[in-house]
Amino acid sequence: MVRKGWNLGSLVCRVGSPGFYLKMLAQESIVSSPGKVILHGEHAVVHGKVALAVGLNLRTFLRIRCSKHGKVLLNLPNLGTCLNWEVATLQTLKTAFPADSDGPKSPSPEQIAALKVFVGIASESADTENLAVLAFLYLYLSIGAKYSRALPSLEIIVWSELPTGAGLGSSAAYNVSMAAALLMAHGAVGFPAQEEAESARWTAEELNLINTWAFQGEKIIHGNPSGVDNAVGTWGGALRYHAGKITSLERVPKLRILLTNTKVPRSTKLLVAGVKDKVLKFPNILNPVLSSIDAISQECERVLKEVNQNPSADCYTVLEELFDINQHHLNVLGVGHPSLDRLCQVTASHGLHSKLTGAGGGGCGITLLRPDVDPAVVEAAKQQLKACGYECWETHIGAPGISLHVFSALREEVQKVFQTFEKAEL
Ligand SMILES: Nc1ncnc2c1ncn2[C@@H]1O[C@H](COP(=O)(O)OP(=O)(O)OP(=O)(O)O)[C@@H](O)[C@H]1O
Ligand SMILES: C[C@@](O)(CCO)CC(=O)[O-]
Ligand SMILES: [Mg+2]
């Protein structure tokens, strides 16, 4: 269903309690999307293989406000970036973003070039931080062109608990939150809040729309994304992703994971491009590696089911072995890093098994924690990892996807964080 403009009318019809909800939306909305952990299949998934990925309980929060000052404000405190543009100036980009009735389309090279000139980024710049601004402008202008005649005046602030560029899907959480907020602002998806609910989610159809737009933003940040990261940011839980087909994994056991951030910066876009070059150069050597990673994902899926139905120590041993094999494969693909080797060595010296997660080249690794692992062993491994300058934290997996926060204590906490970042002069 396509609705035009900042559609408070249909919103009120949908949710009831008109006075209250009108006030809520007229003031602001807060949405959040989770980061992700890829258990198996990173990089191979870009080449059409299976990946298994889960939502992480670290989230990106976005607050959107409709304003009357004729400007668009974008505040990105994680990047130390705060920009604003006159809506009238943004209108000048409308020739590159004409109104059309088709669904979301891939950003064209001409559109990206126009945005780079507008923002003042050299066309060959590899600075991924700027890409967040380009992804925002792309979504703002494209969604605006599709759903409204006039571009809206907005204030947007995005803050994340996720480390940026560390393999935990920060770009996808950013794009999913942005797509959801902008689609909601245009009435293209509803305002799903229900009184008394802490947070609310959209219908499957609306989530599909959010996911499809977020994928376009990912194309700007990643170049050639598979779509797995934005799928987890949208749907959350535990997913099997294969060539665009998203399947929710039912009855996944509560795996305990130690996440370690080596703090070595890297760019997903460059790493994905590097793997592509290598596969093109050595197809006969690397295609079997990608097929083997595919088989690892499928075996992992089978074992996860078994852990649920009939948990045994053997199941966890297989999961550990799959981590080890896949880590070797990822090194063969050229996305390892000495910091990740160190991580694997340290955890192995405590009898634990690790692999990189996400694009690699630094960033984060995951270590499987068996249910019966001695807490003293985990603590000793953590201390040694911290002594390497790494940051680590234990987590459980399977966080919910994109959500709207209406009445939660969480919302209040996030509001306070946002207030500390409100430095924009309008
Ligand atoms: N909170 C944020 N605010 C603004 N921009 C962000 C934020 N989080 C991520 N980004 C954008 O995403 C880029 C990082 O994306 P990248 O894909 O390289 O890493 P990642 O998504 O964290 O890791 P991976 O894709 O391997 O899971 C940043 O340089 C920035 O452009
Ligand atoms: C490296 C990669 O497989 C995962 C990044 O989180 C890239 C992608 O799937 O788009
Ligand atoms: Mg990313």
Side-chain angles (χ1 to χ4, degrees):
M1 184 187 351
V2 175
R3 302 181 207 127
K4 297 276 178 195
W6 192 280
N7 202 336
L8 296 174
S10 62
L11 159 81
V12 172
C13 295
R14 218 176 125 166
V15 298
S17 302
F20 177 79
Y21 287 108
L22 264 175
K23 198 163 150 247
M24 289 300 297
L25 187 68
Q27 283 175 356
E28 61 185 32
S29 298
I30 294 179
V31 299
S32 77
S33 171
K36 62 94 222 287
V37 166
I38 297 187
L39 294 177
H40 289 291
E42 49 274 275
H43 290 291
V45 68
V46 177
H47 301 267
K49 310 298 184 198
V50 173
L52 302 182
V54 294
L56 178 64
N57 59 345
L58 294 174
R59 303 183 75 85
T60 293
F61 295 89
L62 181 153
R63 188 185 70 193
I64 186 166
R65 281 180 179 164
C66 175
S67 67
K68 293 198 181 81
H69 48 57
K71 287 187 181 181
V72 172
L73 169 86
L74 180 67
N75 190 351
L76 306 176
N78 295 95
L79 304 186
T81 298
C82 186
L83 298 168
N84 68 74
W85 304 271
E86 299 284 343
V87 171
T89 314
L90 290 166
Q91 296 278 5
T92 61
L93 283 162
K94 283 209 93 173
T95 42
F97 292 85
D100 75 55
S101 54
D102 290 347
K105 283 196 191 122
S106 289
S108 68
E110 294 73 28
Q111 286 175 322
I112 294 178
L115 292 177
K116 282 191 169 173
V117 169
F118 181 77
V119 177
I121 303 174
S123 58
E124 69 285 357
S125 166
D127 179 353
T128 54
E129 294 203 350
N130 285 324
L131 298 178
V133 176
L134 293 195
F136 162 71
L137 287 173
Y138 176 81
L139 291 174
Y140 171 82
L141 291 162
S142 308
I143 291 175
K146 179 149 177 61
Y147 295 105
S148 296
R149 266 189 223 111
L151 292 172
S153 172
L154 299 171
E155 287 175 34
I156 292 175
I157 178 165
V158 186
W159 167 76
S160 187
E161 298 169 330
L162 290 159
T164 304
L168 301 181
S170 71
S171 62
Y174 173 82
N175 283 314
V176 171
S177 307
M178 194 63 82
L182 291 172
L183 288 167
M184 197 167 61
H186 284 279
V189 299
F191 183 76
Q194 290 159 12
E195 260 171 295
E196 309 302 330
E198 287 265 302
S199 62
R201 313 225 33 235
W202 287 268
T203 63
E205 194 188 340
E206 289 170 324
L207 288 174
N208 261 326
L209 189 64
I210 292 169
N211 188 41
T212 313
W213 279 105
F215 186 43
Q216 311 314 319
E218 280 285 90
K219 284 181 188 162
I220 292 192
I221 294 183
H222 275 201
N224 181 28
S226 64
V228 65
D229 293 1
N230 48 280
V232 179
T234 304
W235 298 94
L239 302 180
R240 175 190 212 269
Y241 188 89
H242 184 209
K245 184 162 181 269
I246 304 165
T247 317
S248 198
L249 296 178
E250 302 298 334
R251 301 184 299 277
V252 172
K254 245 198 166 186
L255 284 189
R256 281 173 62 206
I257 294 273
L258 181 66
L259 257 177
T260 303
N261 187 357
T262 64
K263 299 194 192 156
V264 173
R266 78 308 163 278
S267 150
T268 301
K269 185 177 179 166
L270 297 179
L271 287 152
V272 168
V275 172
K276 184 178 169 202
D277 289 348
K278 232 180 178 146
V279 172
L280 286 175
K281 190 168 178 189
F282 302 112
N284 294 340
I285 298 170
L286 291 181
N287 281 327
V289 176
L290 298 176
S291 299
S292 177
I293 294 177
D294 189 69
I296 290 174
S297 295
Q298 305 207 38
E299 177 66 0
C300 179
E301 188 181 353
R302 187 192 67 72
V303 177
L304 287 176
K305 272 190 200 138
E306 200 177 313
V307 172
N308 226 3
Q309 285 156 5
N310 183 17
S312 70
D314 285 354
C315 291
Y316 286 98
T317 305
V318 173
L319 290 177
E320 288 174 342
E321 286 174 322
L322 295 179
F323 265 36
D324 293 341
I325 303 169
N326 199 357
Q327 177 61 18
H328 288 300
H329 282 342
L330 289 160
N331 274 319
V332 171
L333 292 179
V335 296
H337 190 270
S339 63
L340 292 162
D341 294 341
R342 182 109 184 86
L343 188 164
C344 293
Q345 283 154 9
V346 167
T347 54
S349 71
H350 296 275
L352 303 171
H353 299 254
S354 308
K355 67 176 274 292
L356 68 82
T357 188
C364 285
I366 48 174
T367 306
L368 186 68
L369 302 178
R370 302 167 76 111
D372 56 353
V373 67
D374 181 350
V377 167
V378 181
E379 194 46 42
K382 271 170 135 174
Q383 288 309 325
Q384 212 180 327
L385 290 166
K386 282 181 191 161
C388 298
Y390 302 166
E391 190 181 2
C392 33
W393 59 100
E394 268 184 72
T395 184
H396 55 87
I397 53 178
I402 180 80
S403 305
L404 173 72
H405 300 280
V406 189
F407 303 108
S408 60
L410 178 68
R411 181 188 160 94
E412 301 307 317
E413 273 172 40
V414 175
Q415 270 296 18
K416 282 192 195 132
V417 176
F418 283 147
Q419 277 154 17
T420 64
F421 294 124
E422 272 174 324
K423 55 181 184 216
E425 305 270 326
L426 287 166

